[in-house]
Amino acid sequence: MKKLLLAGVLLAGAVFAADGKAIFQSKGCASCHQPNVDTVGPSLKKIAQAYGNDVDKLVKFLKGEAPAIVDPAKFAIMKAQLTMLKGLSDEELKALAEYMLSFK
Ligand code: HEC
């Protein structure tokens, strides 16, 4: 019985694990952030290189708790986008950050 319960919990975890790519696309981030070329916003590669593997630091930026480090002069444009992320759980923001940092 215990084993069955554990399997159920693991399965639920897999099904409901936050999908960073889906969040990135559904929140409209992809319209300004391309994988390799700078468009309106810096490329995902440039962002990933600036943050390295520091998921926590990127989550802080996404929450509006840390300053821009990639292109601070254009932060006003990005700041308006952060409202799109209000209401996401810490787990979802982490998945989103991990997805973005996978473009190094
Ligand atoms: C209207 C265009 C636009 C959209 C849409 C957009 N961004 Fe940006 N983003 C920018 C610009 C311009 C910058 C450069 C300013 C800066 O570095 O903050 C930027 C920078 C960033 C950075 C680098 C932050 C740093 O430290 O400098 C991250 C991370 C980021 N965007 C994530 C996102 C996410 C996640 C979304 C979707 C919710 C998103 N962006 C949607 C324009 C956009």
Side-chain angles (χ1 to χ4, degrees):
M1 184 62 192
K2 246 189 185 160
K3 261 191 186 153
L4 200 68
L5 204 68
L6 188 67
V9 170
L10 289 178
L11 199 69
V15 172
F16 295 114
D19 182 343
K21 184 178 181 185
I23 297 170
F24 187 79
Q25 285 169 347
S26 70
K27 297 292 180 187
C29 317
S31 60
C32 289
H33 295 289
Q34 297 286 316
N36 294 307
V37 286
D38 297 344
T39 52
V40 181
S43 67
L44 288 171
K45 192 172 177 192
K46 196 178 266 181
I47 294 171
Q49 282 171 347
Y51 279 86
N53 292 321
D54 203 341
V55 173
D56 289 347
K57 190 172 171 188
L58 183 48
V59 167
K60 279 212 175 96
F61 172 81
L62 296 174
K63 284 180 165 177
E65 295 170 358
I69 59 169
V70 178
D71 193 354
K74 286 193 194 161
F75 176 61
I77 303 172
M78 184 54 217
K79 191 172 186 229
Q81 311 306 319
L82 292 179
T83 56
M84 294 292 293
L85 302 174
K86 289 265 179 316
L88 289 187
S89 68
D90 282 358
E91 196 204 344
E92 286 168 318
L93 289 175
K94 195 167 170 239
L96 176 60
E98 279 169 356
Y99 171 70
M100 298 186 81
L101 296 186
S102 72
F103 282 83
K104 281 189 279 304

